[in-house]
Amino acid sequence: MKYDLLLIRYAELSVKGKNRKKFERQLQNNIREALRDFPEAKVFRTYGRMYVELKGAPLHEVTERLRGIFGISSFSPVIREKLEEEAVMEAAHRVTEDSLPDGGSFKVSVRRINKDFPTGSQEMNQKVGGYVLRRMEKLRVDVKNPDVEISIEIRDEAAYVSGEVIRGAGGFPVGSGGRALLLLSGGIDSPAAGWLAMKRGVTVEAIHFHSPPYTNERAKQKVEELGNILSQYGGNIKLHIVPFTEAQLAIHKQIPDNCEITVMRRFMLRIAEETARRRGIMALVNGESLGQVASQTMESMYTINEVTSMPVLRPLVTMDKLEVIDIAQKIGTYETSILPYEDCCTIFLPPDAKTRPKLEKIQYYESFLDVDYYVQRAVKGIETIELTGISRETEEINELL
């Protein structure tokens, strides 16, 4: 059966009170951007609901785009009908026939938002259910656990009939929660952290630390691929590539091996903070999970975080590795993340990194380095790339092996 409309539902947005319209406008804009390849599709809204009018756009392709848009709780293909009992009942019959071609159980749920419609919700439930049962022999009513629930919303302008609920990504629309700079490595964790930040409405830019010739062009391409995948969820992403070789070699030369990773991460936070301030960004995001590696113990986090006054958001902080892998697989970054290209965090890695570094000792070691010089040199050399979601295929990257 041909559906001409998709009904968009949102959960958290409905509790936003006076700010609700702002969130709805942002979501509407994000949906339009996601469907820019289908200019015939139109997005419009009424109170508490949003609709995509297909106008010939392919239902399956549009549905796949909507699944990944934050701010959507669920959505349904619907038939829009005029406000007449007979028309509504016939639409319910068509939807039920499409949803249960071989029979099964169903229930009817009517919401009469338009109080001028002459028939009440309970009476319409009975009328529609009876109408459908008379026309479909293999059907039965089950109000507690039906195979399909036929939902009917009777609104001011029309009646909307649906039989399928497709789960959305939830959260808030990207662009409604401020801006943050994601420290994006080539690993599994940081892309998942970026995705979770986007889910709370955050507009993400990314920063990556590149140390040629110790990290090669393939590692950089891998990070671009991860950023492209993320941009499919939250719109175009600016990726800032930091030339980190000079600073990293100075750290490696001056700092004791077992404190090197701590100092390196302090440098990364300083550079990220300076970049964020220049970009008008208010927070940093990273993929740290408490206790996962030596630099992510409570003591390490305290010592590393001391160099910045900017909020550092850690969406993964209480998750174990399997939970993070589940997210990475769900969002499509996992296969790219496990490609065997080293990033700067894995080179010069000592076998006995400090798990409880003392702040005073780290500050003492750093006093022999011209910290500001290396930070400013790195920031000045940043290369910025615009990622648009046009992703390199993983197979293409594998060809470089």
Side-chain angles (χ1 to χ4, degrees), residues 106-112 121 124-125 128 143 146 149-154 160 162:
F106 81 112
K107 69 178 286 189
V108 178
S109 297
V110 176
R111 290 185 66 216
R112 188 180 63 134
S121 297
M124 274 300 289
N125 278 337
V128 172
V143 296
E149 181 174 348
I150 305 302
S151 298
I152 302 171
E153 290 193 1
I154 299 173
Y160 300 91
S162 62

Side-chain angles (χ1 to χ4, degrees), residues 318-339:
T318 63
M319 295 186 186
D320 63 36
K321 196 65 176 184
L322 291 178
E323 291 174 305
V324 179
I325 288 173
D326 284 344
I327 293 173
Q329 290 174 331
K330 172 184 175 181
I331 67 178
T333 56
Y334 180 75
E335 293 300 326
T336 301
S337 291
I338 62 174
L339 291 172

Side-chain angles (χ1 to χ4, degrees), residues 261-306:
I261 189 70
T262 302
V263 173
M264 185 182 73
R265 289 194 179 276
R266 282 164 62 90
F267 268 67
M268 287 179 171
L269 275 190
R270 290 181 176 110
I271 293 166
E273 180 185 51
E274 179 63 21
T275 304
R277 291 194 189 285
R278 293 186 181 198
R279 300 284 305 160
I281 292 172
M282 297 184 292
L284 306 177
V285 179
N286 68 28
E288 290 179 341
S289 174
L290 187 60
Q292 190 175 117
V293 294
S295 63
Q296 295 176 22
T297 64
M298 190 72 76
E299 293 84 355
S300 288
M301 286 184 181
Y302 172 80
T303 300
I304 294 167
N305 213 86
E306 184 265 343

Side-chain angles (χ1 to χ4, degrees), residues 218 339-341 396-401:
R218 297 168 185 174
L339 291 172
Y341 306 126
E396 181 181 326
I397 296 178
N398 275 326
E399 288 177 3
L400 298 172
L401 282 170

Side-chain angles (χ1 to χ4, degrees), residues 3 14 17 21 27 31 44 52 63 71 156 224 273 332 339 381:
Y3 291 93
S14 64
K21 288 185 178 179
L27 177 58
I31 293 173
F44 65 96
V52 176
T63 295
D156 292 341
E224 288 180 38
E273 180 185 51
L339 291 172

